[in-house]
Amino acid sequence: MDMNTIEAVLPTADPAHWQPGDAWLGGGTVLFSYGSTTLRRLLDLGQAGWEPVTVFGDGIELAATCTIATLYQVPDSPGLAALWPALDLVRPCCDAFVASFKIWNMSTVGGNICTSLPAGPMTSLCSALDGVATILSRDGGSRTLPVAELVTGDATNALAPGELLRSVHLPAHALSARTAFRRLSLSNLGRSGVLLIGRQDLDGVFVLTVTAATKRPVQLRFPAARLPGPRQLQDALDVAIEPGLYHDDIHGLPEWRRDMTHRLAEEIRAELLAEPAERSA
């Protein structure tokens, strides 16, 4: 950790306290890893007192400060797994961190989303389940935004300076869906290079969410009356993801990410729509 410019640590969850040179501190697993030479204060959310997980009739609310370790236990809550089968996605997404228990006990759902890395598994989970973020503003107001729109690129998002992610609401219609999960990495314990989640809602709508392969989440939705065949899905992916949107770093070239996105998307389509997968040459 190299943050020798910090002059104060202020326990607060009030955006009105924010000023230039501040950073919100959740678990700190990224903030302390990368360090900074420009920050002057840390606004510590450790004493915010937000309930990590709240269950409502219309879904689940995850506080931004909910740790990965706490989230991992949610599928064990009595009756929830049977009520909302899409909770099966929670543990594969947590495992996609490929992190130690020390990280799991500190890293937060909100911190992972706000870091906005393409491979952020909480972005994958919350986007795929139509998560809606509640964002607190410096003027005392708030706004909501789908998590799929909150992350706008590699380490960029739609948060204005000083805004604070308060929570993410996962709606019941998505939690009730059948789901399929696919993830690839170039190494056995490497960062996700491609992470796709498919969902078929009770009304038959098919939703495919592409993350890790792309700089920001990409979602495709098909109504029950027009479910895609293999060719229709491949064409839709090419329309939705222009070549420059595929991520390019040491964890995978854009061409590989595109090929694997198409391959895994077809596997998910076939699994959820109960059809044989079409194999590309």
Side-chain angles (χ1 to χ4, degrees), residues 29 68 72 90-105 107 112 119-122 181 183-195 212 251:
T29 54
I68 305 310
Y72 193 82
V90 166
R91 289 182 171 171
C93 286
C94 289
D95 289 335
F97 272 95
V98 196
S100 72
F101 72 92
K102 294 180 289 184
I103 297 297
W104 277 29
N105 283 317
S107 187
N112 187 249
M122 294 300 98
F181 175 95
R183 173 184 177 271
L184 285 177
S185 172
L186 288 178
S187 60
N188 193 35
L189 295 176
R191 179 179 290 182
S192 301
V194 186
L195 199 161
H251 301 287

Short mmCIF file of all heavy atoms in Angstrom, two decimals, residues 29 68 72 90-105 107 112 119-122 181 183-195 212 251:
data_model
loop_
_atom_site.label_atom_id
_atom_site.label_comp_id
_atom_site.label_asym_id
_atom_site.label_seq_id
_atom_site.Cartn_x
_atom_site.Cartn_y
_atom_site.Cartn_z
N THR A 29 -10.01 -3.42 -0.92
CA THR A 29 -9.12 -4.41 -1.52
C THR A 29 -8.49 -3.91 -2.82
O THR A 29 -7.37 -4.30 -3.16
CB THR A 29 -9.87 -5.72 -1.79
OG1 THR A 29 -11.03 -5.45 -2.57
CG2 THR A 29 -10.29 -6.36 -0.49
N ILE A 68 -18.39 -10.20 0.03
CA ILE A 68 -18.54 -11.39 -0.81
C ILE A 68 -18.79 -12.62 0.06
O ILE A 68 -19.58 -13.49 -0.30
CB ILE A 68 -17.29 -11.59 -1.69
CG1 ILE A 68 -17.00 -10.32 -2.50
CG2 ILE A 68 -17.48 -12.78 -2.63
CD1 ILE A 68 -18.18 -9.76 -3.26
N TYR A 72 -22.08 -14.99 -0.35
CA TYR A 72 -21.91 -16.41 -0.66
C TYR A 72 -22.87 -17.27 0.15
O TYR A 72 -23.27 -18.36 -0.29
CB TYR A 72 -20.47 -16.82 -0.36
CG TYR A 72 -20.07 -18.16 -0.92
CD1 TYR A 72 -19.68 -18.29 -2.25
CD2 TYR A 72 -20.07 -19.31 -0.13
CE1 TYR A 72 -19.30 -19.51 -2.78
CE2 TYR A 72 -19.70 -20.54 -0.64
CZ TYR A 72 -19.31 -20.64 -1.97
OH TYR A 72 -18.95 -21.86 -2.49
N VAL A 90 -25.12 -17.17 -7.59
CA VAL A 90 -24.35 -16.42 -6.60
C VAL A 90 -22.97 -17.03 -6.39
O VAL A 90 -21.94 -16.34 -6.46
CB VAL A 90 -25.12 -16.34 -5.27
CG1 VAL A 90 -24.19 -15.86 -4.15
CG2 VAL A 90 -26.29 -15.38 -5.41
N ARG A 91 -22.92 -18.31 -6.14
CA ARG A 91 -21.63 -18.92 -5.79
C ARG A 91 -20.66 -19.00 -6.97
O ARG A 91 -19.46 -18.73 -6.80
CB ARG A 91 -21.86 -20.27 -5.11
CG ARG A 91 -22.43 -20.05 -3.72
CD ARG A 91 -22.67 -21.28 -2.92
NE ARG A 91 -23.02 -20.91 -1.55
CZ ARG A 91 -23.46 -21.77 -0.64
NH1 ARG A 91 -23.60 -23.06 -0.95
NH2 ARG A 91 -23.75 -21.35 0.59
N PRO A 92 -21.10 -19.35 -8.17
CA PRO A 92 -20.16 -19.29 -9.30
C PRO A 92 -19.59 -17.89 -9.52
O PRO A 92 -18.41 -17.75 -9.86
CB PRO A 92 -21.00 -19.76 -10.49
CG PRO A 92 -22.07 -20.59 -9.91
CD PRO A 92 -22.39 -19.97 -8.58
N CYS A 93 -20.42 -16.87 -9.31
CA CYS A 93 -19.91 -15.51 -9.49
C CYS A 93 -18.93 -15.13 -8.38
O CYS A 93 -17.91 -14.49 -8.63
CB CYS A 93 -21.07 -14.51 -9.53
SG CYS A 93 -22.00 -14.55 -11.08
N CYS A 94 -19.22 -15.55 -7.15
CA CYS A 94 -18.27 -15.30 -6.06
C CYS A 94 -16.95 -16.04 -6.33
O CYS A 94 -15.86 -15.50 -6.12
CB CYS A 94 -18.86 -15.75 -4.73
SG CYS A 94 -20.20 -14.73 -4.09
N ASP A 95 -17.07 -17.28 -6.79
CA ASP A 95 -15.87 -18.06 -7.08
C ASP A 95 -15.04 -17.44 -8.21
O ASP A 95 -13.83 -17.66 -8.29
CB ASP A 95 -16.25 -19.50 -7.47
CG ASP A 95 -16.75 -20.30 -6.29
OD1 ASP A 95 -16.40 -19.98 -5.14
OD2 ASP A 95 -17.53 -21.27 -6.51
N ALA A 96 -15.70 -16.67 -9.08
CA ALA A 96 -14.98 -16.04 -10.19
C ALA A 96 -13.98 -14.99 -9.74
O ALA A 96 -13.14 -14.56 -10.52
CB ALA A 96 -15.99 -15.41 -11.17
N PHE A 97 -14.05 -14.57 -8.48
CA PHE A 97 -13.02 -13.68 -7.95
C PHE A 97 -11.66 -14.37 -7.95
O PHE A 97 -10.62 -13.72 -8.05
CB PHE A 97 -13.35 -13.29 -6.50
CG PHE A 97 -14.23 -12.08 -6.36
CD1 PHE A 97 -15.59 -12.20 -6.24
CD2 PHE A 97 -13.68 -10.81 -6.34
CE1 PHE A 97 -16.41 -11.10 -6.10
CE2 PHE A 97 -14.48 -9.70 -6.20
CZ PHE A 97 -15.85 -9.83 -6.09
N VAL A 98 -11.67 -15.71 -7.78
CA VAL A 98 -10.43 -16.49 -7.63
C VAL A 98 -9.57 -15.80 -6.56
O VAL A 98 -8.41 -15.45 -6.78
CB VAL A 98 -9.66 -16.62 -8.95
CG1 VAL A 98 -8.62 -17.73 -8.84
CG2 VAL A 98 -10.60 -16.94 -10.11
N ALA A 99 -10.17 -15.57 -5.39
CA ALA A 99 -9.52 -14.81 -4.32
C ALA A 99 -9.53 -15.61 -3.03
O ALA A 99 -10.32 -16.55 -2.84
CB ALA A 99 -10.24 -13.47 -4.12
N SER A 100 -8.67 -15.21 -2.10
CA SER A 100 -8.57 -15.88 -0.82
C SER A 100 -9.71 -15.47 0.11
O SER A 100 -10.44 -14.49 -0.16
CB SER A 100 -7.24 -15.51 -0.14
OG SER A 100 -7.28 -14.15 0.31
N PHE A 101 -9.88 -16.21 1.21
CA PHE A 101 -10.93 -15.88 2.17
C PHE A 101 -10.72 -14.49 2.76
O PHE A 101 -11.67 -13.82 3.16
CB PHE A 101 -10.98 -16.94 3.28
CG PHE A 101 -9.82 -16.87 4.24
CD1 PHE A 101 -9.90 -16.11 5.40
CD2 PHE A 101 -8.64 -17.56 3.98
CE1 PHE A 101 -8.83 -16.05 6.28
CE2 PHE A 101 -7.57 -17.49 4.85
CZ PHE A 101 -7.65 -16.74 6.01
N LYS A 102 -9.47 -14.04 2.82
CA LYS A 102 -9.19 -12.71 3.35
C LYS A 102 -9.82 -11.64 2.46
O LYS A 102 -10.37 -10.65 2.96
CB LYS A 102 -7.68 -12.49 3.46
CG LYS A 102 -7.00 -13.37 4.48
CD LYS A 102 -5.51 -13.12 4.56
CE LYS A 102 -4.80 -13.64 3.33
NZ LYS A 102 -3.33 -13.50 3.43
N ILE A 103 -9.74 -11.85 1.15
CA ILE A 103 -10.37 -10.91 0.21
C ILE A 103 -11.89 -11.00 0.33
O ILE A 103 -12.59 -9.98 0.37
CB ILE A 103 -9.92 -11.20 -1.23
CG1 ILE A 103 -8.41 -10.99 -1.37
CG2 ILE A 103 -10.68 -10.33 -2.21
CD1 ILE A 103 -7.94 -9.58 -1.13
N TRP A 104 -12.42 -12.22 0.38
CA TRP A 104 -13.87 -12.40 0.48
C TRP A 104 -14.46 -11.71 1.70
O TRP A 104 -15.57 -11.21 1.65
CB TRP A 104 -14.19 -13.89 0.55
CG TRP A 104 -14.25 -14.58 -0.77
CD1 TRP A 104 -13.56 -14.25 -1.90
CD2 TRP A 104 -15.03 -15.73 -1.10
NE1 TRP A 104 -13.86 -15.13 -2.91
CE2 TRP A 104 -14.76 -16.04 -2.44
CE3 TRP A 104 -15.91 -16.52 -0.39
CZ2 TRP A 104 -15.35 -17.11 -3.10
CZ3 TRP A 104 -16.51 -17.59 -1.02
CH2 TRP A 104 -16.23 -17.89 -2.37
N ASN A 105 -13.70 -11.68 2.80
CA ASN A 105 -14.21 -11.08 4.03
C ASN A 105 -14.10 -9.57 4.05
O ASN A 105 -14.63 -8.93 4.97
CB ASN A 105 -13.48 -11.66 5.23
CG ASN A 105 -13.98 -13.05 5.59
OD1 ASN A 105 -15.17 -13.30 5.58
ND2 ASN A 105 -13.07 -13.97 5.87
N SER A 107 -13.75 -7.58 0.60
CA SER A 107 -14.25 -7.05 -0.67
C SER A 107 -15.77 -6.98 -0.65
O SER A 107 -16.45 -7.86 -0.12
CB SER A 107 -13.79 -7.94 -1.82
OG SER A 107 -14.11 -7.36 -3.06
N ASN A 112 -16.79 -3.79 -5.94
CA ASN A 112 -16.47 -4.48 -7.18
C ASN A 112 -17.16 -3.85 -8.37
O ASN A 112 -16.57 -3.70 -9.44
CB ASN A 112 -16.84 -5.96 -7.05
CG ASN A 112 -16.37 -6.79 -8.22
OD1 ASN A 112 -17.17 -7.27 -9.01
ND2 ASN A 112 -15.07 -6.96 -8.37
N ALA A 119 -13.97 -7.71 -15.86
CA ALA A 119 -14.10 -9.04 -15.26
C ALA A 119 -14.73 -9.00 -13.87
O ALA A 119 -14.74 -10.02 -13.18
CB ALA A 119 -12.73 -9.71 -15.18
N GLY A 120 -15.27 -7.87 -13.45
CA GLY A 120 -15.88 -7.78 -12.14
C GLY A 120 -17.07 -8.72 -12.01
O GLY A 120 -18.11 -8.50 -12.64
N PRO A 121 -16.99 -9.77 -11.18
CA PRO A 121 -18.07 -10.76 -11.14
C PRO A 121 -19.35 -10.26 -10.50
O PRO A 121 -20.42 -10.81 -10.76
CB PRO A 121 -17.46 -11.92 -10.35
CG PRO A 121 -16.38 -11.29 -9.52
CD PRO A 121 -15.84 -10.17 -10.35
N MET A 122 -19.26 -9.21 -9.66
CA MET A 122 -20.50 -8.66 -9.10
C MET A 122 -21.24 -7.84 -10.16
O MET A 122 -22.48 -7.79 -10.15
CB MET A 122 -20.20 -7.81 -7.87
CG MET A 122 -19.64 -8.61 -6.70
SD MET A 122 -20.78 -9.92 -6.10
CE MET A 122 -20.14 -11.38 -6.91
N PHE A 181 -24.76 -20.59 -16.60
CA PHE A 181 -23.54 -19.83 -16.34
C PHE A 181 -22.38 -20.45 -17.12
O PHE A 181 -22.21 -21.67 -17.13
CB PHE A 181 -23.25 -19.87 -14.84
CG PHE A 181 -21.95 -19.22 -14.40
CD1 PHE A 181 -21.93 -17.91 -13.96
CD2 PHE A 181 -20.76 -19.94 -14.41
CE1 PHE A 181 -20.75 -17.32 -13.54
CE2 PHE A 181 -19.57 -19.36 -14.00
CZ PHE A 181 -19.57 -18.04 -13.55
N ARG A 183 -18.08 -19.57 -17.93
CA ARG A 183 -16.91 -18.71 -17.69
C ARG A 183 -15.67 -19.38 -18.25
O ARG A 183 -15.50 -20.59 -18.12
CB ARG A 183 -16.73 -18.46 -16.20
CG ARG A 183 -15.45 -17.70 -15.83
CD ARG A 183 -15.30 -17.57 -14.32
NE ARG A 183 -14.05 -16.92 -13.96
CZ ARG A 183 -12.90 -17.54 -13.76
NH1 ARG A 183 -12.84 -18.87 -13.87
NH2 ARG A 183 -11.81 -16.88 -13.44
N LEU A 184 -14.80 -18.59 -18.87
CA LEU A 184 -13.52 -19.08 -19.36
C LEU A 184 -12.40 -18.14 -18.94
O LEU A 184 -12.59 -16.92 -18.87
CB LEU A 184 -13.53 -19.21 -20.88
CG LEU A 184 -14.30 -20.38 -21.50
CD1 LEU A 184 -14.25 -20.28 -23.02
CD2 LEU A 184 -13.71 -21.71 -21.04
N SER A 185 -11.23 -18.73 -18.69
CA SER A 185 -10.03 -17.97 -18.40
C SER A 185 -8.87 -18.65 -19.12
O SER A 185 -8.93 -19.85 -19.41
CB SER A 185 -9.76 -17.95 -16.89
OG SER A 185 -8.51 -17.37 -16.61
N LEU A 186 -7.84 -17.87 -19.40
CA LEU A 186 -6.69 -18.44 -20.09
C LEU A 186 -5.85 -19.34 -19.18
O LEU A 186 -5.04 -20.13 -19.66
CB LEU A 186 -5.81 -17.32 -20.66
CG LEU A 186 -6.37 -16.58 -21.86
CD1 LEU A 186 -5.42 -15.46 -22.29
CD2 LEU A 186 -6.62 -17.53 -23.03
N SER A 187 -6.04 -19.22 -17.88
CA SER A 187 -5.32 -20.08 -16.94
C SER A 187 -6.29 -20.60 -15.90
O SER A 187 -7.39 -20.06 -15.71
CB SER A 187 -4.18 -19.33 -16.25
OG SER A 187 -4.67 -18.21 -15.53
N ASN A 188 -5.90 -21.65 -15.21
CA ASN A 188 -6.81 -22.33 -14.29
C ASN A 188 -7.29 -21.42 -13.17
O ASN A 188 -8.44 -21.50 -12.74
CB ASN A 188 -6.11 -23.56 -13.70
CG ASN A 188 -7.08 -24.48 -12.99
OD1 ASN A 188 -8.22 -24.63 -13.42
ND2 ASN A 188 -6.63 -25.11 -11.92
N LEU A 189 -6.44 -20.54 -12.69
CA LEU A 189 -6.79 -19.62 -11.62
C LEU A 189 -6.66 -18.17 -12.07
O LEU A 189 -6.29 -17.29 -11.30
CB LEU A 189 -5.90 -19.87 -10.39
CG LEU A 189 -6.07 -21.25 -9.72
CD1 LEU A 189 -5.08 -21.42 -8.58
CD2 LEU A 189 -7.50 -21.45 -9.22
N GLY A 190 -6.99 -17.93 -13.34
CA GLY A 190 -6.83 -16.59 -13.90
C GLY A 190 -8.10 -15.78 -13.87
O GLY A 190 -9.19 -16.28 -13.61
N ARG A 191 -7.93 -14.50 -14.15
CA ARG A 191 -9.07 -13.59 -14.23
C ARG A 191 -9.98 -14.00 -15.38
O ARG A 191 -9.51 -14.49 -16.41
CB ARG A 191 -8.56 -12.15 -14.43
CG ARG A 191 -9.65 -11.11 -14.57
CD ARG A 191 -9.08 -9.72 -14.75
NE ARG A 191 -8.44 -9.24 -13.53
CZ ARG A 191 -7.89 -8.01 -13.42
NH1 ARG A 191 -7.92 -7.19 -14.45
NH2 ARG A 191 -7.34 -7.65 -12.29
N SER A 192 -11.27 -13.79 -15.21
CA SER A 192 -12.23 -14.17 -16.25
C SER A 192 -11.90 -13.46 -17.55
O SER A 192 -11.74 -12.24 -17.59
CB SER A 192 -13.65 -13.79 -15.82
OG SER A 192 -14.02 -14.43 -14.62
N GLY A 193 -11.84 -14.24 -18.63
CA GLY A 193 -11.68 -13.65 -19.96
C GLY A 193 -13.01 -13.53 -20.67
O GLY A 193 -13.22 -12.64 -21.50
N VAL A 194 -13.92 -14.43 -20.31
CA VAL A 194 -15.28 -14.44 -20.87
C VAL A 194 -16.21 -14.94 -19.77
O VAL A 194 -15.92 -15.95 -19.13
CB VAL A 194 -15.39 -15.40 -22.09
CG1 VAL A 194 -16.76 -15.30 -22.73
CG2 VAL A 194 -14.30 -15.13 -23.10
N LEU A 195 -17.29 -14.21 -19.53
CA LEU A 195 -18.28 -14.66 -18.54
C LEU A 195 -19.67 -14.32 -19.06
O LEU A 195 -19.99 -13.14 -19.24
CB LEU A 195 -18.03 -14.01 -17.17
CG LEU A 195 -18.69 -14.70 -15.96
CD1 LEU A 195 -18.01 -14.27 -14.67
CD2 LEU A 195 -20.18 -14.48 -15.87
N ALA A 212 -17.00 -9.54 -18.99
CA ALA A 212 -15.59 -9.96 -19.01
C ALA A 212 -15.00 -9.93 -20.42
O ALA A 212 -13.91 -9.40 -20.64
CB ALA A 212 -15.39 -11.33 -18.38
N HIS A 251 -5.30 -11.01 -20.43
CA HIS A 251 -6.20 -12.12 -20.11
C HIS A 251 -6.99 -12.61 -21.32
O HIS A 251 -7.84 -13.49 -21.18
CB HIS A 251 -7.15 -11.70 -18.99
CG HIS A 251 -6.45 -11.30 -17.73
ND1 HIS A 251 -5.84 -12.21 -16.88
CD2 HIS A 251 -6.21 -10.07 -17.20
CE1 HIS A 251 -5.28 -11.57 -15.88
NE2 HIS A 251 -5.49 -10.28 -16.04
#
